[in-house]
Amino acid sequence: MAEPLTVDRPDDPRLSDYTGLTDVDLRRTREPAEGLFIAEGEKVIRRALRAGYRMRSMLLSAKWLEVMRDVIDASDAPVYAVTPELAERVTGYHVHRGALASMQRKPLPSAAGALGSARRVAVMESVNDHTNIGAVFRSAAALGMDAVLLSPDCADPLYRRSVKVSMGAVFAVPYARVETWPRDLEEVRAAGFRLLALTPDERAVPIDTAVPRDGTGAGTGARVALMLGAEGRGLSARALAAADEWVRIPMAHGVDSLNVGAAAAVAFYAVARGRDGEG
Amino acid sequence: MAEPLTVDRPDDPRLSDYTGLTDVDLRRTREPAEGLFIAEGEKVIRRALRAGYRMRSMLLSAKWLEVMRDVIDASDAPVYAVTPELAERVTGYHVHRGALASMQRKPLPSAAGALGSARRVAVMESVNDHTNIGAVFRSAAALGMDAVLLSPDCADPLYRRSVKVSMGAVFAVPYARVETWPRDLEEVRAAGFRLLALTPDERAVPIDTAVPRDGTGAGTGARVALMLGAEGRGLSARALAAADEWVRIPMAHGVDSLNVGAAAAVAFYAVARGRDGEG
């Protein structure tokens, strides 16, 4: 338990975890290097703690001291009480959620570690937009994907915006980076996963026939790794070549694509329904 | 065919369709009242024309005159050539897509008219965010919904941002406003539709059992109207009471919701797959 410390200078070194939060380039480098990430808002902070992340400190405006009292009491991390104006000067924006926490990252598992006993995993290639990666994690968690693998150039799931858009789902689903892309997908296959590449290509099979519900199809018994590319470009030729099968979401009305969040949600649902059957 | 007219004054009355495009409140009132909407970017303009909307005028910077030459040649609408700086002064933002068209709205069909021979319709309640309504239309078109009905307080699908996010899908799917909400849903039911309300409520049945693929379930033969509420609040109690059945998307990892775009996409997919069967 820590008593809140009132801080009134923007250059107070104790606030350094929170400086320049709107400078994406700076934060993208600094946060992994320093082993921290920022959780914003009561709900996300509580979810990070429940997921076992250690709190380094909290930055609160006065009205949040009461709301977060139980969190403060249960933690040894220092709590800095600041005015909304000071919070804005330090972070660079108006912190309307009123509560920020600096959390300690955990070492990422290896790909094999993240796979563990997972039956269904999402594999993302070059999804380098923080909003999109957060949205995909939220859907992956909700729709029953057991783990996520990321190509080396995917955005950081623990970046503030990713965490926020995911509603904390980045804490709920284990994830890892694939070191050599796409070569190391071979290890995923060796672990018994069938690699399905999501693509609008007409030669791909409809996703619900690739992962059939009735248990008679090729997917039966196999673990499934669903590969997704970035908005617009989709999966690279090399990634498509590394897959066992290409799958597509059937489209109507001459529409040629869904946005990446919608496509991912549909694909996760199809994969989950296919293997679980009814109910 | 019209020869492009060079315009060099921001207060030229011929540009009045394009003034103050960043003023959402102003445009939200003005556009329906004056019977116009704004299509932004080459692809969206072409899609609006293909869908039969009449062009009132076009506003182009020099480099777009060549790209849009065939459109200019095929139209009687005046074309105003402006510098990027002038376009920005008139519209209030940097028009990086370089081409704007003012299009004439068509009279909206009645709900019965929009339903026509549709088998699957999406019914939205209080989705008053332009980004969300655009995203839902894009998914509705791609995933085979035949029409969309909107409660009176839904956002305008022809607002610039809705059109853009939908990638022009708002032109591809017929839609109408329900006049008295939710009472007029009775007419939808009378037309043979089963009203399914999407909700996270635990008492709801999983959506794939409500709309079964194998044709043995209650959905067989019925036309399906899938009701969706806004992000966060979901459907109102009155709308839920007006439904024939409540359906939910099964969730994992303790996640309690999807974002509205992801939820809509999954629900549309489930409804389409359920009634069509394989492939």
Side-chain angles (χ1 to χ4, degrees):
Chain A
M1 151 157 200
E3 270 311 302
L5 305 160
T6 299
V7 178
D8 49 20
R9 291 180 43 151
D11 58 352
D12 190 308
R14 293 172 296 178
L15 303 188
S16 71
D17 280 6
Y18 304 95
T19 53
L21 288 185
T22 56
D23 185 339
V24 180
D25 285 339
L26 169 71
R27 299 298 308 195
R28 194 154 50 189
T29 312
R30 239 195 94 179
E31 293 184 7
E34 300 181 16
L36 67 88
F37 71 91
I38 299 293
E40 187 177 20
E42 180 191 357
K43 197 177 274 189
V44 164
I45 293 171
R46 291 184 186 277
R47 286 182 179 167
L49 290 168
R50 261 204 307 278
Y53 287 95
R54 186 175 72 73
M55 192 154 71
R56 292 159 62 107
S57 69
M58 230 177 345
L59 185 77
L60 300 175
S61 55
K63 65 177 254 200
W64 288 92
L65 290 171
E66 274 320 299
V67 177
M68 301 302 271
R69 172 52 57 188
D70 60 315
V71 173
I72 297 170
D73 286 348
S75 163
D76 290 328
V79 175
Y80 304 117
V82 297
T83 63
E85 295 70 32
L86 184 65
E88 181 163 353
R89 284 193 60 188
V90 171
T91 63
Y93 72 109
H94 177 63
V95 185
H96 45 82
R97 282 166 197 260
L100 291 172
S102 173
M103 311 293 298
Q104 187 70 36
R105 290 176 185 244
K106 304 188 228 179
L108 276 191
S110 65
L115 292 178
S117 59
R119 292 177 308 148
R120 299 185 288 264
V121 305
V123 183
M124 288 193 243
E125 182 189 43
S126 307
V127 178
N128 51 22
D129 176 277
H130 291 118
T131 301
N132 285 343
I133 211 152
V136 171
F137 263 90
R138 183 174 173 193
S139 291
L143 297 168
M145 303 303 279
D146 304 312
V148 174
L149 298 182
L150 305 171
S151 72
D153 55 348
C154 280
D156 179 7
L158 293 182
Y159 185 73
R160 182 169 55 98
R161 171 115 193 114
S162 315
V163 170
K164 189 168 161 180
V165 171
S166 84
M167 308 273 280
V170 291
F171 311 138
V173 181
Y175 70 90
R177 298 241 174 220
V178 173
E179 281 191 24
T180 309
W181 181 267
R183 202 191 61 195
D184 290 353
L185 289 176
E186 195 46 60
E187 297 172 20
V188 181
R189 184 182 289 110
F193 283 89
R194 203 158 60 103
L195 298 171
L196 303 183
L198 188 69
T199 167
D201 193 295
E202 284 179 9
R203 291 167 292 176
V205 302
I207 189 166
D208 55 348
T209 62
V211 191
R213 157 182 289 178
D214 61 6
T216 60
T220 309
R223 303 165 89 183
V224 172
L226 182 80
M227 298 162 60
L228 303 162
E231 181 92 36
R233 291 190 308 284
L235 287 167
S236 69
R238 293 193 310 154
L240 286 168
D244 291 312
E245 187 164 15
W246 294 2
V247 297
R248 65 179 166 81
I249 297 167
M251 302 273 177
H253 290 285
V255 180
D256 54 3
S257 69
L258 289 164
N259 78 42
V260 65
V266 166
F268 297 156
Y269 175 83
V271 166
R273 292 297 96 191
R275 290 179 49 76
D276 286 349
E278 303 265 333
Chain B
M1 151 160 198
E3 270 311 305
L5 305 159
T6 300
V7 178
D8 49 20
R9 290 181 42 151
D11 57 352
D12 190 309
R14 294 173 295 179
L15 303 188
S16 71
D17 280 6
Y18 305 96
T19 52
L21 288 185
T22 55
D23 185 338
V24 180
D25 285 339
L26 169 72
R27 300 297 307 194
R28 195 154 49 187
T29 311
R30 239 195 93 181
E31 293 185 6
E34 300 181 17
L36 66 88
F37 71 92
I38 299 294
E40 185 177 20
E42 180 192 356
K43 197 177 274 189
V44 164
I45 293 172
R46 291 184 186 278
R47 287 181 180 167
L49 291 167
R50 262 205 306 279
Y53 287 96
R54 187 176 72 73
M55 192 154 71
R56 292 158 62 108
S57 69
M58 229 176 347
L59 184 78
L60 300 175
S61 55
K63 63 177 259 204
W64 288 91
L65 289 170
E66 275 320 299
V67 178
M68 301 301 271
R69 173 50 60 188
D70 60 316
V71 173
I72 296 169
D73 287 349
S75 164
D76 291 327
V79 175
Y80 303 118
V82 297
T83 61
E85 294 71 28
L86 184 66
E88 181 163 351
R89 284 195 57 189
V90 172
T91 62
Y93 72 109
H94 176 62
V95 185
H96 45 83
R97 282 165 197 261
L100 291 173
S102 173
M103 311 294 297
Q104 187 69 37
R105 289 177 186 243
K106 306 188 226 178
L108 276 191
S110 64
L115 292 178
S117 59
R119 293 178 306 148
R120 299 185 287 263
V121 306
V123 182
M124 288 191 244
E125 182 189 43
S126 307
V127 179
N128 52 21
D129 174 279
H130 292 118
T131 301
N132 285 344
I133 210 153
V136 171
F137 263 90
R138 183 174 173 192
S139 292
L143 297 169
M145 303 304 278
D146 303 313
V148 174
L149 298 183
L150 305 172
S151 71
D153 56 346
C154 280
D156 179 7
L158 294 182
Y159 184 76
R160 183 169 55 98
R161 171 115 194 113
S162 316
V163 171
K164 190 169 161 180
V165 171
S166 85
M167 308 274 280
V170 291
F171 312 137
V173 180
Y175 71 90
R177 297 240 176 221
V178 173
E179 281 190 25
T180 309
W181 181 268
R183 202 191 61 195
D184 290 354
L185 289 176
E186 196 45 58
E187 296 172 20
V188 181
R189 184 182 289 113
F193 284 89
R194 202 156 60 102
L195 298 171
L196 303 183
L198 188 68
T199 167
D201 193 293
E202 283 181 9
R203 290 166 293 175
V205 302
I207 189 165
D208 55 347
T209 62
V211 190
R213 157 182 286 176
D214 61 7
T216 59
T220 310
R223 302 166 90 185
V224 172
L226 183 80
M227 300 162 60
L228 304 163
E231 181 94 35
R233 291 190 308 284
L235 288 166
S236 69
R238 292 194 310 153
L240 286 168
D244 292 311
E245 188 164 14
W246 293 3
V247 297
R248 64 179 166 81
I249 297 167
M251 303 272 177
H253 289 287
V255 181
D256 54 1
S257 70
L258 289 164
N259 78 44
V260 65
V266 166
F268 297 156
Y269 174 83
V271 166
R273 290 298 94 190
R275 290 180 49 76
D276 287 349
E278 304 265 334

